[in-house]
Amino acid sequence: MTRHFIHVVRVLALLATLCIASLAPRLALADNLATVRKVALPPLPQSAAQIATVEGRLLALTESGSWLLDEDRKAWRATNFRAPQARTFAAGPRYTWLLSGPDGSVANVQRLALQGQGIDSAPLPALPEPLTHAFAAVLADKLYVAGQTAAGEPRMLALDTVTPGAGWEVLPAWDGRGGDITSLVAQNSTVLLTVRGAEGQSDRLLRWTARNGWSEAKPVGGRVLPGAVRATGQAHVLYLAEPLGASQGAAYGHTQLHTYHTITGSWAVAPLSEAESAQGAEFGAGWGNGVLRAYVDAGGRQQLAYTEIVSGKRLLKTFDWIVIVVYLAGMLGIGWYCYMREKRNSTSDFFVGGRSIPFWAAGISLYAANTSSISYIAIPAKAFETNWQYMTNNLVAVVALTFVAVAIVPLLRRLNLMSVFQYLEIRFHPAIRMIASLICILVQIGSRMSVILLLPSLAIATITGIDVTWSIILMGGFTIVYTAMGGMKAVVWTDFVQLFVKMGGALFAIGFILWKLDGGVMEFVHVAAAESKTKLFDFSWDLTQPTVWGFIFLVVFDVVLTFPKDQVLMQRVLSTKSAKEATRSIWTFAAISIPGGFIFYTIGTALYTYYKSHPERMNPLLNVDATFPLFIAAELPTGVTGLIIAGILAAAMATLSGIMNSVATLASVDFYEKLVKNPTPKKSVLFAEIATVATGLIGIAAALILSRFNAHSLFDVSIELAGLLSGGFAGAYTLGMFTRRANWQGVAIGILCSSILTTICWTMKLVHPYFYLPISIMLCIVFGYLASYLFPAPDQSLAGLTIYADTPSRTEEDHDRQTSTHL
């Protein structure tokens, strides 16, 4: 069978060569996928003194009242709301906060919301003292206000807007140098403040974060129109500013749209026509995906000019589609080949490939399953946003896999299991097996399938314009078909091919990015070193950050003590020919993990270096996870784009197929065969095929639901969900393999206590999400072990079920007989 896959790899290599050959005619930069356009707005019935946004609608404030822009943007409607004269606004996703006061200062705070065609207001706690030249911004659930006291001292305040009875918190202020404040905005856990520069100098830009306090950023490159600022996407801020040296004939007579990227700290100037930039501006406001300004036309009437960012799409060319279609056809072909070759009447063939998978193929499949679209898209995005600290987890995990390969995997492989949860029944009780299996199914579908389906779908939507919904459905549908047809053999051998596709695409992407850099490899090295983008180890004891101690803590509990909890990985180990082969598959997995991890983190750092030099090439409307897809869409030549998309699909489908097959195995072995009278192997396989399809459809539905939320980092979402859902039952393996005293009653109590206490940690945000999983496992172990002393010790033989050397050894046939008595 291996011979056929070598031919497939050769075909894919030929396609890659053709893609590289296509570079020559497309060396120039493609058109930018983000463009600027001017949108006409209806003239105001009365001249406005200020404009704000309430739930996405424009609210114009005049001397005699207020006007609300219709949703279709065609007309203004008068409202009954009257705001005080001195005021500043901060717009959030649901509410808008109005700060007002007498004598040009602000002290009173109101919360505004739409109510029919009017505005509803509710009072909030007043500021500790009146502030002048004040601006406000909203970050998560906090309202931030920056201004000056009566004595001219800078002041920074914060208010928790969701906690009842919360009061204003006085935060450390900036240095106070410069003139008046011109804007305040929040983006990506950062508050940005602009302060008027001296005559002939640009406005200062100051950054504030809860962890690092205030820092000086690169100046604006002009003079900001007060209030004309808008946060877009997940990392960009738009400013309307007058360039230095422009004519002062009208207030801010030559305006430009500046974009600031909070991650790279780089500025770009969006192109505006001369006619647009020459319009005099009275005041500005952020709205939607752009910034508007009020100006007086030649007839002396106030007008509104709105400039917004618009996302474009790069449609795939014929050669791109050829590459993608060949890849998808190859996956279906492997599934069909496995289907026609097998009789499909044996559960062993469908669930564990007849236990005939070579160790090297199983090891490659382990790595392929462990490097999903999260690795291909979210990890480069995380490295782009931060550094390589998360790579520490890979390094520590490889060390831990040494212990797993020697002590744990042979123990479980000798039991000849199909579901790893059979061990929990043998060691404890059928109820523990079924509870843990059910939780695992929920984890795989809820926290893994949904994210793994959504990430590449977002990438494909970014690149091609295909709707995210259709991308999810098509990718999930293809994976369902070949997995249901071919079973575990199709999963393993498609993983083998997919590894070459996705790693080839990743390596090509790194080389192409470095080639595009003005300074080549040396620029990459210089920027990465100067800004600590390749920092690996954080030895601090800050539990809110991903530190070395946190990764060691995680790996000890997630790998060393509880490796068997992951049915997706263990099913590949259980598909090998013997315990010795199973150990070798883990060695293969470990050997590939380190270089593979460095490849994906290098992509993120290379992207950071490129976009720091070319900030104008970014799309301010996209989220951080779309950074690599943006580069694929905007920079790569025809043919190569298709290759990288195939790599993204391969990364996702390799994991999806394993999840579908594993969930089907659990549903059949742990539930169907135990609850149905007289199940036959043929009926079990048929049920597993139906379960595969059902799992895929449920996963598609979960991904569609998740796509409705604007998660900042899907990498973090997957970590949180895995920690909250899977930690409890995982501790049962530790209690089973590493202790003799634990019993099923204690384990059940441990799972319950772990779930409750971890949920409390999550709701109170006590630690970094990376700690949820090890904390949950640790709680299960501690409470489960202590609770076991409340009940009698286990009375069955534990021979071959723990890691202790004094436990009598058994042959595989002995374990087959022991296992069959519990099934």
Side-chain angles (χ1 to χ4, degrees):
M1 188 172 183
T2 306
R3 182 175 65 255
H4 299 281
F5 296 104
I6 293 175
H7 293 312
V8 174
V9 173
R10 287 174 177 170
V11 171
L12 294 173
L14 176 61
L15 285 173
T17 303
L18 293 174
C19 290
I20 296 172
S22 71
L23 281 172
R26 289 185 54 87
L27 295 181
L29 285 175
D31 293 335
N32 201 324
L33 295 185
T35 58
V36 177
R37 72 177 180 186
K38 181 180 178 181
V39 180
L41 295 177
L44 281 162
Q46 300 175 0
S47 293
Q50 194 169 6
I51 291 181
T53 61
V54 181
E55 298 183 39
R57 303 270 296 277
L58 283 183
L59 177 67
L61 305 175
T62 67
E63 292 184 1
S64 60
S66 62
W67 300 80
L68 192 65
L69 184 64
D70 285 346
E71 292 187 44
D72 60 7
R73 303 183 179 183
K74 292 182 178 180
W76 293 89
R77 307 289 180 187
T79 75
N80 58 356
F81 178 71
R82 295 180 63 89
Q85 291 299 314
R87 56 214 172 207
T88 187
F89 292 87
R94 185 177 178 186
Y95 299 110
T96 294
W97 285 264
L98 164 64
L99 285 76
S100 60
D103 302 325
S105 63
V106 297
N108 302 316
V109 184
Q110 298 179 64
R111 186 182 64 195
L112 307 182
L114 292 180
Q115 188 177 54
Q117 291 299 319
I119 302 293
D120 177 61
S121 64
L124 270 71
L127 301 181
E129 60 183 321
L131 298 178
T132 60
H133 306 292
F135 284 88
V138 179
L139 180 61
D141 295 325
K142 282 196 172 183
L143 174 64
Y144 292 87
V145 178
Q148 295 176 346
T149 65
E153 297 177 353
R155 188 74 78 232
M156 181 80 163
L157 306 172
L159 175 67
D160 187 334
T161 60
V162 297
T163 302
W168 285 95
E169 177 186 2
V170 179
L171 302 174
W174 63 101
D175 56 27
R177 291 187 295 110
D180 297 336
I181 301 170
T182 53
S183 72
L184 188 72
V185 67
Q187 175 66 287
N188 193 22
S189 72
T190 301
V191 177
L192 298 171
L193 174 76
T194 57
V195 178
R196 178 67 71 230
E199 185 67 27
Q201 294 183 0
S202 298
D203 287 358
R204 296 177 65 200
L205 177 65
L206 300 167
R207 296 178 55 135
W208 179 89
T209 63
R211 186 183 186 193
N212 299 320
W214 291 99
S215 61
E216 189 90 17
K218 188 176 180 180
V220 177
R223 298 168 70 84
V224 175
L225 177 64
V229 58
R230 177 67 174 173
T232 60
Q234 290 182 336
H236 274 87
V237 179
L238 309 180
Y239 290 90
L240 201 62
E242 175 199 30
L244 296 178
S247 171
Q248 297 289 329
Y252 300 89
H254 294 270
T255 54
Q256 292 180 326
L257 187 63
H258 296 246
T259 64
Y260 178 73
H261 191 234
T262 59
I263 295 174
T264 62
S266 300
W267 286 94
V269 179
L272 289 178
S273 68
E274 184 176 349
E276 288 177 295
S277 64
Q279 293 168 340
E282 295 181 306
F283 59 85
W287 179 48
N289 293 326
V291 183
L292 63 85
R293 58 197 180 279
Y295 68 96
V296 178
D297 62 17
R301 188 176 182 181
Q302 188 184 67
Q303 301 288 347
L304 297 179
Y306 177 53
T307 304
E308 69 176 354
I309 305 292
V310 180
S311 286
K313 303 293 181 183
R314 173 185 167 184
L315 299 179
L316 295 180
K317 302 299 188 293
T318 301
F319 192 35
D320 293 321
W321 284 113
I322 290 175
V323 175
I324 296 170
V325 169
V326 168
Y327 162 73
L328 292 174
M331 297 304 98
L332 292 179
I334 293 174
W336 178 253
Y337 177 83
C338 293
Y339 177 77
M340 296 300 295
R341 193 170 183 270
E342 305 294 337
K343 295 182 179 180
R344 306 300 298 278
N345 292 325
S346 167
T347 54
S348 176
D349 285 338
F350 188 82
F351 297 141
V352 289
R355 303 194 194 276
S356 61
I357 303 298
F359 77 87
W360 54 267
I364 291 174
S365 183
L366 280 167
Y367 179 74
N370 205 49
T371 53
S372 63
S373 53
I374 295 176
S375 301
Y376 215 90
I377 299 173
I379 287 181
K382 180 60 68 175
F384 172 81
E385 184 178 12
T386 57
N387 48 40
W388 289 11
Q389 282 180 233
Y390 285 85
M391 180 64 191
T392 308
N393 183 62
N394 298 46
L395 301 177
V396 177
V398 168
V399 177
L401 286 174
T402 303
F403 174 80
V404 169
V406 173
I408 296 177
V409 165
L411 183 155
L412 293 171
R413 178 59 187 86
R414 283 192 292 266
L415 290 172
N416 277 347
L417 309 173
M418 291 187 189
S419 161
V420 291
F421 300 104
Q422 291 174 243
Y423 171 82
L424 297 181
E425 178 175 358
I426 299 171
R427 177 65 176 84
F428 295 116
H429 191 275
I432 301 297
R433 169 185 179 176
M434 298 184 74
I435 291 172
S437 181
L438 178 61
I439 294 175
C440 179
I441 290 173
L442 295 176
V443 170
Q444 295 298 334
I445 296 177
S447 74
R448 296 198 67 194
M449 276 195 72
S450 57
V451 174
I452 291 165
L453 267 170
L454 178 57
L455 267 176
S457 299
L458 291 172
I460 293 170
T462 301
I463 297 167
T464 68
I466 298 175
D467 186 79
V468 172
T469 298
W470 282 110
S471 296
I472 291 172
I473 293 173
L474 290 174
M475 183 170 51
F478 271 97
T479 310
I480 289 172
V481 172
Y482 80 72
T483 305
M485 284 195 303
M488 177 50 69
K489 287 185 178 179
V491 170
V492 170
W493 291 114
T494 52
D495 285 353
F496 178 79
V497 174
Q498 287 163 340
L499 179 69
F500 289 93
V501 174
K502 63 188 178 185
M503 298 311 291
L507 288 171
F508 184 90
I510 293 172
F512 190 81
I513 295 171
L514 295 179
W515 176 71
K516 295 273 283 188
L517 291 175
D518 296 335
V521 176
M522 292 309 298
E523 180 181 351
F524 170 82
V525 173
H526 174 73
V527 173
E531 304 193 26
S532 302
K533 295 301 293 183
T534 56
K535 178 182 177 181
L536 267 173
F537 306 112
D538 181 354
F539 291 97
S540 70
W541 294 95
D542 186 353
L543 297 183
T544 64
Q545 300 299 319
T547 65
V548 170
W549 315 115
F551 288 122
I552 293 175
F553 185 48
L554 171 65
V555 168
V556 166
F557 287 94
D558 187 32
V559 179
V560 174
L561 300 179
T562 61
F563 186 81
K565 71 181 182 301
D566 194 334
Q567 173 72 18
V568 176
L569 297 181
M570 283 301 302
Q571 200 160 334
R572 290 157 168 79
V573 174
L574 299 173
S575 300
T576 55
K577 299 175 183 179
S578 64
K580 185 177 181 180
E581 291 275 285
T583 296
R584 289 177 175 176
S585 71
I586 298 296
W587 292 128
T588 305
F589 174 33
I592 303 174
S593 293
I594 292 180
F598 276 113
I599 288 173
F600 291 116
Y601 281 91
T602 300
I603 291 175
T605 305
L607 288 170
Y608 177 90
T609 306
Y610 176 78
Y611 283 120
K612 188 174 182 65
S613 300
H614 301 281
E616 74 284 353
R617 304 295 299 172
M618 298 205 74
N619 185 339
L621 303 185
L622 297 182
N623 58 29
V624 177
D625 281 327
T627 304
F628 188 29
L630 169 67
F631 184 88
I632 296 169
E635 315 300 338
L636 291 180
T638 301
V640 177
T641 301
L643 175 65
I644 302 296
I645 291 178
I648 293 172
L649 292 174
M653 295 168 72
T655 306
L656 288 173
S657 61
I659 292 174
M660 291 179 188
N661 186 264
S662 296
V663 170
T665 300
L666 297 179
S668 180
V669 175
D670 291 342
F671 293 94
Y672 176 80
E673 293 184 2
K674 292 186 69 65
L675 299 177
V676 175
K677 293 182 179 180
N678 302 319
T680 64
K682 187 173 183 179
K683 289 182 178 180
S684 293
V685 171
L686 177 60
F687 177 83
E689 292 172 347
I690 296 172
T692 301
V693 176
T695 299
L697 294 177
I698 295 172
I700 289 172
L704 292 174
I705 293 173
L706 185 60
S707 69
R708 301 296 184 264
F709 298 92
N710 185 29
H712 175 73
S713 170
L714 290 174
F715 185 57
D716 290 337
V717 169
S718 65
I719 291 173
E720 286 192 46
L721 291 175
L724 292 172
L725 296 176
S726 65
F729 78 83
Y733 285 98
T734 306
L735 293 169
M737 294 185 297
F738 292 87
T739 75
R740 298 187 182 93
R741 185 61 180 80
N743 49 47
W744 75 267
Q745 298 96 328
V747 169
I749 293 173
I751 293 174
L752 179 62
C753 293
S754 170
S755 300
I756 294 173
L757 293 176
T758 305
T759 302
I760 292 174
C761 288
W762 172 66
T763 55
M764 299 180 66
K765 294 180 170 50
L766 297 178
V767 296
H768 189 275
Y770 230 108
F771 288 98
Y772 293 154
L773 182 60
I775 286 175
S776 182
I777 294 171
M778 181 184 68
L779 290 172
C780 178
I781 295 171
V782 172
F783 283 98
Y785 188 76
L786 294 177
S788 294
Y789 280 95
L790 301 176
F791 305 93
D795 56 3
Q796 84 270 26
S797 171
L798 300 182
L801 299 179
T802 68
I803 65 168
Y804 296 107
D806 59 346
T807 301
S809 61
R810 289 176 177 267
T811 65
E812 294 186 12
E813 291 75 13
D814 291 335
H815 280 296
D816 286 341
R817 288 193 293 272
Q818 182 187 22
T819 303
S820 65
T821 63
H822 290 271
L823 303 181

